Amino acid sequence: MASEEISALLASKPNSAAASLEPENETSSFSFYVPPYPPFKELRPYNGFYRDKSGKPVMIFSMLQINEGPLLEYFAPFNHRLESYTVGGGSRYNIESSPVYRAFHSHQGTKRVGWDGWCGHLIKDRWAMGGKKEDVVICLESPHIKDAVLEYMKMHSAEWKNNPDLLYNIMAYELQYICFCDKSQQMFREWLGKKYSTVQELNVCWNTSYGSFSEIKAPETKNARPVDNVNRAAWYDWADFNTRRFTDYLTWIKKEMQKIDAEVPICAGGTSSMLSSSNSVTGIDEELIINEVDDVILNESGGSPIFSDLLLSLSSSKKVMVEPEMGGSTHNLLLQFLHGKSDISKWWWGSYPSKEYMHMNQTSLPHSKEISLADIDEVLRIGLDVRRLGPEIAEFTMNDPQIAILYSKSSILQVPPQLIQAGTTPYIKEIRSVWEGSRFLGCRIGFISEKQILAKKLSDFKLLIVPAAKYVPPEIVKSIKEYVAGGGTAVIIPESFVFDQYARELNITDELGIGIESIILPDVVGTQERKQNYDQSFSREIIYGNVNRRIKVSDKDIFSKSDITDQLTSDGLLLKIDPGQNEILAEFEDGQPAIVLARIGKGSLYYLASPLETDSYHQLFSLLTDRVGIRRAVKAEDSSGNLITGAEVRGVERESDYLVYASNLTSDTLEFDLRVDAQIESITDLRSLQQIEDRHIILKPYGETIFKIEKKRKF
């Protein structure tokens, strides 16, 4: 039955639902007709998407390694993207034939120094897939390596110059880089000399007594992390420098590539490092890479759309976002496009089962025992539907978000050595929890960086959430207070603003009239087994004990009209706080303040005494979203009138209709009603082209679609 339906889609057979749809002035008439991909050389990136000659957004979905055969009815050719390996001059699969390999074995100073962790694909460790089992871990500061990289680039340039379907060229991805060679040390000292006017100024920040910059050496690492007694201020500067010098290297590689081919968009990156406890040893700052290197945003994040929201927010302009090798399950693929990826290459459709790496067969669609035929059917349907619904999908990232989560580079870099390999930190955990608590609000969620705050971008948002950003520069805190005083609203989650970027105490809560009397930290009860991450690095998660506490809310401020009584729950450390003259909005069961409202100027600052469980964040943010006046064009509500959770549902309003997407993230069937503050003519499921008789929606497990809600016409 499923194969017959897909055949009908391809053949564009007449359909009663399609015939009943009339043309609409903002989109073409809907039908099951699936347009062929236009010649890729005709596509141009503009305002966040590839666009055809008429200016319509085109969504591209390919499958690793499908370049020919009947599956091209469903997928774009995989070879429209290329990883050229120009960052290091080769990969773990072909390095033995590269000039870099000869240079590595022939010259002094070509080997990485002072680092015993993962090579970051530059180039390979002895346990890597492909080629001889040996360490070929290069130093990018070596002039011999640089010359060899340029030679490799010229040798392989025909691979991208002669590909008529090539839409983007990846210099390399899943990258990480750190090196402590003499050249790196000198570059670090020069960077410090530009940052600090005198060595005395540096000594104040580092609590050191250097007589000159020439005495300084980068902090040491051992076992893939800084040593336990590292100078935290010096480590912060070294990690910050490392992101700067690696971005500069990528910029140099790009310029050399453009001497050969100036047309094909270029990108590089290491997406997963942006939300990793080990970021400070990776050299990755996607905010720098996106804005200084990428022509298209490289997002090789796999499952969660949180990275899409983050990377789009960090970009200073709207760029195409591409996913070159998307792992994860076959579920919720449409959601990836709806969060801004306009070009996805899915892992994978193997030609035959792997004999060497048999575990990989479970991720190959035709060979897996875990991927059902129904799942494969849905993947094929997505391949067709994103082609015909490209303009509708693009609508959902056209409007900018009004809620921002603080992405603090300082808190990402400034991690205690013992937590570097933990996989996460309290700050990263809260980023994810806050984002999860926000994704069901029915509005777009964004991020704001420290750099963007200093550029006066905070005023673009109605609500700021600060998720346990423990290490923050004082000027960022000052800007946030000014934002609130000017009428903004902020939620501060502990332990935010405790230290500056150099790990020196800030004591900002005193300025808010809130006293911190004591802190109860979760007990460490163990560690998990060491595991290999998506990007090939390793981590060992720390397991904390349970410190959940029930929270009873008052009938004041945002809670005055809510039906929340004692439904909020804390999750993590507990602060015993003295609220001073500020208003207590919620208390723990022992009567201690849990949520305090500080009114600053024209705005409101909500200070939490503990992080919350994700569901409690959702309830709190739902009330705040209403309070700050963020309008949801469409709301999805359960039988009690509350926002549905478990499915992302978000709408955008246009002149004569609404577009609404719904994506069920669970293995259960979900039901909800669509609430629209307007009279409506009809609701159509744009994937099935079936009319919805009322506003009641039933979503099957992992089901996802886009609805078109026609407004009632005025005559």
Side-chain angles (χ1 to χ4, degrees), residues 116-137:
D116 57 7
W118 180 53
C119 69
H121 286 321
L122 294 169
I123 300 284
K124 70 173 182 178
D125 311 293
R126 67 189 66 184
W127 52 81
M129 292 181 184
K132 295 168 61 177
K133 302 304 179 184
E134 62 175 327
D135 288 327
V136 184
V137 185

Side-chain angles (χ1 to χ4, degrees), residues 621-679:
F621 298 154
S622 296
L623 299 175
L624 285 169
T625 301
D626 289 333
R627 168 56 61 90
V628 300
I630 295 175
R631 180 175 177 270
R632 272 69 59 86
V634 180
K635 289 185 178 181
E637 297 179 340
D638 61 21
S639 57
S640 300
N642 298 316
L643 291 175
I644 188 74
T645 58
E648 271 197 34
V649 183
R650 183 160 67 86
V652 292
E653 183 176 4
R654 302 187 296 179
E655 183 178 347
S656 59
D657 64 18
Y658 301 90
L659 291 176
V660 182
Y661 77 72
S663 180
N664 186 351
L665 308 179
T666 75
S667 58
D668 299 320
T669 297
L670 295 180
E671 298 189 38
F672 55 88
D673 294 306
L674 294 177
R675 196 186 84 188
V676 184
D677 294 331
Q679 290 185 316

